[in-house]
């Protein structure tokens, strides 16, 4: 009978591994495990996802470019930018003349993003940093987006609050919330549509609008309330906030960004600003 227990044990272990790594993608094991998994899949990520450029343009690039149309050179933040999907969708829109900052925790996803956005290299910057603490001051960006990332963070509500903090009043928030069968296997990381909207309503947001996205997601659009201030493109070092002391505005010297207040140094490695210790 021992073999029965061995088989049962292996089945349970296999199920647990599939749940933790296959479905939840490491989210219950911490951000470092999530980033490590994305480092592994980065070279084949776009192929696995099978992005359809036409759909990306129609549902993402065009509506976001239209929403930002009144701003001559908008500044957009993409949180959990992965291989640069949002940047590509926006840069292909002729009416979009803005700049994009991408933040992600996976070095290899960022390396792919850098490669994929080469034609627009002067309008895009990538930073390796955990989304839970964004290295920017309040009211900085004209739009903040985060696609298919929230469920992989330990505290999705805190990450949304952080995104709203760096979004300027009048700016646009675009964020996905995972729904469907697999979402139920990720308790504490996902919300029902009603729960997510109710949570967003507690934040300084208005015009909250939900639309379907990629079968397993809601795509939620909202606008930050308040009199418009902030936003617009500025040199990256001017909008960086030192994660150690909170000083706004770092000094760029060749391949280093240094905090003039506490002296902390953040390296630019292979074109990516490393702000994670
Ligand atoms: C499913 S991918 C989505 C990538 C991209 N937004 C897209 O739609 O193709 C999730 C991304 O979130 C990133 N990520 C996960 N947890 C993160 C965290 N705590 N901070 C920053 N990025 C994170 C992963 O490294 C990965 O690139």
């Amino acid at each position: 009978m021992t073999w029965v227990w061995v088989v049962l044990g292996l089945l349970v272990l296999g199920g647990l591994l599939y749940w933790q790594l296959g479905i939840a993608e490491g989210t219950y094991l911490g951000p470092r495990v999530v980033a490590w998994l994305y480092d592994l899949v980065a070279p084949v990520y776009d192929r696995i996802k099978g992005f359809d450029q036409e759909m990306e343009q129609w549902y993402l690039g065009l509506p976001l470019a239209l929403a930002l149309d009144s701003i001559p050179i908008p500044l957009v933040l993409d949180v959990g930018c992965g291989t640069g999907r949002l940047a590509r969708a926006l840069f292909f829109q002729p009416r979009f003349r803005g700049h994009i900052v991408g933040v992600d925790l996976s070095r290899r996803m960022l390396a792919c993003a850098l490669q994929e956005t080469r034609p627009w290299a002067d309008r895009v910057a990538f930073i390796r940093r955990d989304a839970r603490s964004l290295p920017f001051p309040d009211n900085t960006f004209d739009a903040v987006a985060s696609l298919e990332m929230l469920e992989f963070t330990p505290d999705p509500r805190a990450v949304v609050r952080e995104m709203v903090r760096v979004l300027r009043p009048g700016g646009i928030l675009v964020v996905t919330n995972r729904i469907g069968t697999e979402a139920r296997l990720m308790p504490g990381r996902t919300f029902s549509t009603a729960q997510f909207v109710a949570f967003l309503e507690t934040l300084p947001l208005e015009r909250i609008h939900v639309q379907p996205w990629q079968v397993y997601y809601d795509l939620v659009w909202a606008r930050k309330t308040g009199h418009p201030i902030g936003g617009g493109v500025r040199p990256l070092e001017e909008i960086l906030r030192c994660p150690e002391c909170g000083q706004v505005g770092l000094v760029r010297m060749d391949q280093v960004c240094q905090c003039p207040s506490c002296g902390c140094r953040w390296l630019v490695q292979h074109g990516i600003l490393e702000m994670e210790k």
Side-chain angles (χ1 to χ4, degrees), residues 34 38 45 51 80-82 85 104-106 109 129-131 147-149 152-153:
V34 175
Y38 274 99
Y45 177 81
F51 293 133
C81 63
R85 169 195 202 171
D104 202 287
L105 203 47
S106 157
M109 292 293 271
R129 177 84 191 156
D130 193 317
L147 303 174
E148 303 174 24
M149 193 256 349
F152 304 120
T153 63

Side-chain angles (χ1 to χ4, degrees), residues 48-265:
I48 293 173
K49 295 292 276 190
F51 293 133
D52 175 340
Q53 263 314 317
E54 214 170 294
M55 303 293 265
E56 299 285 304
Q57 292 302 314
W58 192 248
Y59 289 104
L60 190 61
L62 181 62
L64 190 50
L66 280 174
L68 292 167
D69 217 20
S70 61
I71 306 158
I73 311 180
L75 183 61
V76 176
L77 175 68
D78 184 10
V79 184
C81 63
T83 55
R85 169 195 202 171
L86 179 95
R88 279 175 276 163
L90 264 181
F91 285 139
F92 274 122
Q93 286 295 317
R95 63 200 322 146
F96 179 74
R97 299 213 165 73
H99 289 212
I100 301 176
V101 178
V103 171
D104 202 287
L105 203 47
S106 157
R107 266 197 196 97
R108 283 197 170 170
M109 292 293 271
L110 287 167
C112 293
L114 196 68
Q115 175 77 20
E116 293 294 330
T117 55
R118 262 204 185 145
W120 308 278
D122 55 335
R123 293 165 61 196
V124 69
F126 292 106
I127 301 174
R128 197 173 80 82
R129 177 84 191 156
D130 193 317
R132 288 176 292 176
S133 149
L134 296 169
F136 311 104
D138 302 357
N139 309 326
T140 301
F141 295 91
D142 297 294
V144 176
S146 183
L147 303 174
E148 303 174 24
M149 193 256 349
L150 267 191
E151 66 270 30
F152 304 120
T153 63
D155 187 350
R157 283 190 184 87
V159 173
V160 175
R161 275 189 217 104
E162 188 63 352
M163 295 196 288
V164 174
R165 177 185 71 75
V166 300
L167 179 65
R168 72 163 173 84
I172 296 149
L173 180 76
V174 191
V175 64
T176 57
N177 171 48
R178 191 153 167 177
I179 51 168
T181 321
E182 288 191 349
R184 287 188 210 111
L185 296 173
M186 298 174 72
R189 301 296 195 271
T190 58
F191 310 84
S192 70
T193 304
Q195 280 172 337
F196 195 59
V197 170
F199 163 61
L200 293 182
E201 282 170 349
T202 67
L203 303 177
L205 295 171
E206 60 188 5
R207 297 194 225 167
I208 298 167
H209 168 74
V210 183
Q211 69 181 65
W213 177 255
Q214 313 273 318
V215 188
Y216 299 120
Y217 287 94
D218 283 333
L219 183 66
V220 186
W221 297 78
R223 200 173 276 271
K224 186 167 174 181
T225 54
H227 186 69
I229 46 154
V233 169
R234 279 179 287 158
L236 183 66
E237 47 278 20
E238 261 183 40
I239 58 159
L240 285 173
R241 186 171 81 169
C242 175
E244 295 296 313
C245 72
Q247 162 78 28
V248 175
L250 304 188
V251 180
R252 176 85 187 253
M253 295 169 296
D254 198 19
Q255 298 301 301
V256 177
C257 275
Q258 183 159 12
C259 173
S261 175
C262 70
C264 255
R265 289 156 65 88

